[in-house]
Amino acid sequence: MLNGIAGNPVLFNENGDAPGRYEIYQYQIRNRTAEYKIIGHWTDQLHLNVRTMQWPGGVRRVPSSVCSQACKAGERKKTVKGIPCCWHCERCDGYQYQADTFSCKMCRFDLRPNANHTGCDAIPVVKLEWSSPWAVIPVLIAVAGIGATLFVVVTFVRHNDTPIVKASGRELSYVLLTGIFLCYANTFLMISTPDVGVCSMRRVFLGLGMSISYAALLTKTNRIYRIFERGGVSVSAPRLISPASQLVITFALAAVQLLGVCVWFGVDPSRAVVIDYEDQRTSDPLMARGVLKCDISDLSLICLLGYSMLLMVTCTVYAIKTRGVPETFNEAKPIGFTMYTTCIIWLAFIPIFFGTSQSTEKV
């Protein structure tokens, strides 16, 4: 075996080539001075002095050599096309959760993803609380309205036999005040926690108060119209204008509302309350809520009030017909003014109600 000038043995491989001998340098900066430093050599195999090597960021240990880093919790691997061993980490957003390493799935309609999107939790269920401003303000208005109604009732009772009370049609006035009282009392039903009993009472009383009120006003205006219409052609009084007859007509008109509610109960019995998860399904899952409510759709609610609207429109027609009564018989004019304003309010209410019921921002 021969030795070379450097004292190393001279060797040849099977191809007749001499084996390579290399020194490995690394470009390093020490004390703001750049230099190449030997960190190893190659003679048949690699020899490295790892402790003398430098890495970006001042890291002393060898960085991991991987195509992609491991994904965090709630992130799925999206493989790179043509490079199956490499991937991008894609977060499961919205109402999705990490089903496995490579896929995200939607949570069930009554669930929302947890904080790190690794699973689904139940959506909290809320209801209208009595302490909420949306409940306090209507309750205060209802209490004031009930107080005013009771004050009028007490005044009528104290002066029940006076000419003014008798001339105003005291029997129908009591019925009208009863309907107004029910309208205000419905506020407490609408705020109460929904259950089978509360939902059933809502069906019965929500439209009943308005039906009684409009039935009494319709009977009043119809009576005034028939008196002055008949007075132009005959001196005899028209039929069914006595207080007892007026009460029978009013209760018959209100009974139609009760009959409709009974039919509704027969066709669609009041079941347990429902939880609406779509009403408060916000873009941020953490803000999503389920709303506890009665099983009464918006369309059913309008149908429930439909008969009251029919009575209101009919009463408005008679109010228009009696607008020319003598000034001394001025009861028809306040009724007419009331019906005109009520019609305007209802015409504004219906499109607003249905418009907000289809809005994603409904609260």
Side-chain angles (χ1 to χ4, degrees):
M1 179 179 297
L2 299 177
N3 292 328
I5 297 175
N8 296 321
V10 178
L11 301 174
F12 299 94
N13 58 23
E14 63 274 9
N15 298 322
D17 298 323
R21 294 182 179 90
Y22 307 96
E23 288 185 339
I24 302 174
Y25 293 82
Q26 186 183 36
Y27 185 76
Q28 297 182 355
I29 298 178
R30 293 180 181 274
N31 299 325
R32 298 183 179 179
T33 302
E35 62 178 354
Y36 284 97
K37 185 175 180 180
I38 297 175
I39 59 172
H41 63 274
W42 171 276
T43 52
D44 295 332
Q45 60 182 358
L46 179 64
H47 301 276
L48 285 177
N49 186 0
V50 178
R51 288 183 298 179
T52 62
M53 300 174 65
Q54 290 185 357
W55 303 101
V59 180
R60 304 299 299 177
R61 60 189 178 87
V62 179
S64 58
S65 178
V66 294
C67 178
S68 302
Q69 297 292 335
C71 293
K72 300 178 182 178
E75 295 180 343
R76 73 179 185 95
K77 292 181 179 179
K78 185 178 181 181
T79 57
V80 179
K81 186 176 181 180
I83 312 176
C85 62
C86 297
W87 61 84
H88 299 299
C89 294
E90 188 176 74
R91 181 165 179 79
C92 300
D93 56 0
Y95 287 83
Q96 295 180 335
Y97 70 98
Q98 183 183 0
D100 53 46
T101 305
F102 296 98
S103 64
C104 298
K105 290 185 178 180
M106 292 291 294
C107 291
R108 208 172 60 199
F109 73 96
D110 58 341
L111 302 176
R112 65 180 183 182
N114 53 26
N116 56 11
H117 288 254
T118 56
C120 296
D121 297 332
I123 295 178
V125 178
V126 297
K127 59 181 180 63
L128 184 60
E129 300 291 343
W130 289 94
S131 58
S132 169
W134 301 103
V136 172
I137 295 176
V139 166
L140 292 178
I141 296 175
V143 170
I146 290 174
T149 304
L150 293 178
F151 174 77
V152 175
V153 171
V154 171
T155 303
F156 266 62
V157 171
R158 288 182 59 186
H159 305 280
N160 193 54
D161 294 324
T162 59
I164 294 178
V165 173
K166 290 181 178 180
S168 65
R170 59 184 176 184
E171 293 80 8
L172 286 183
S173 296
Y174 286 128
V175 174
L176 178 59
L177 290 169
T178 302
I180 295 174
F181 175 84
L182 289 177
C183 290
Y184 283 119
N186 280 329
T187 304
F188 301 96
L189 278 179
M190 300 303 293
I191 299 175
S192 299
T193 301
D195 56 34
V196 177
V198 170
C199 294
S200 299
M201 293 177 67
R202 285 184 186 180
R203 289 191 181 191
V204 174
F205 291 103
L206 187 58
L208 184 61
M210 284 184 285
S211 295
I212 292 176
S213 301
Y214 291 139
L217 290 175
L218 175 59
T219 305
K220 275 179 173 286
T221 53
N222 175 264
R223 175 176 178 270
I224 296 171
Y225 171 75
R226 289 190 294 115
I227 288 175
F228 283 92
E229 184 73 12
R230 184 66 177 268
V233 296
S234 174
V235 294
S236 61
R239 301 172 55 188
L240 303 176
I241 62 171
S242 64
S245 301
Q246 298 291 288
L247 289 176
V248 171
I249 295 173
T250 302
F251 288 132
L253 292 174
V256 176
Q257 174 75 24
L258 290 176
L259 179 62
V261 173
C262 292
V263 172
W264 187 11
F265 274 115
V267 174
D268 182 21
S270 183
R271 300 181 294 273
V273 295
V274 297
I275 302 176
D276 186 357
Y277 290 99
E278 295 298 327
D279 191 43
Q280 296 285 329
R281 193 176 180 87
T282 58
S283 57
D284 183 4
L286 295 179
M287 300 298 295
R289 298 291 185 270
V291 181
L292 187 68
K293 57 173 61 175
C294 293
D295 59 337
I296 302 177
S297 65
D298 295 337
L299 181 59
S300 299
L301 184 62
I302 293 297
C303 292
L304 176 65
L305 302 176
Y307 180 66
S308 299
M309 289 187 281
L310 177 62
L311 292 177
M312 175 192 68
V313 172
T314 308
C315 185
T316 304
V317 172
Y318 277 106
I320 295 174
K321 290 184 176 182
T322 55
R323 66 186 184 279
V325 298
E327 291 292 335
T328 54
F329 202 98
N330 58 5
E331 186 180 29
K333 292 187 176 180
I335 294 177
F337 177 77
T338 301
M339 300 317 301
Y340 305 150
T341 54
T342 304
C343 287
I344 294 173
I345 292 172
W346 273 93
L347 287 174
F349 166 75
I350 293 176
I352 292 174
F353 182 85
F354 277 104
T356 55
S357 68
Q358 302 299 325
S359 173
T360 56
E361 299 176 356
K362 179 182 176 184
V363 176

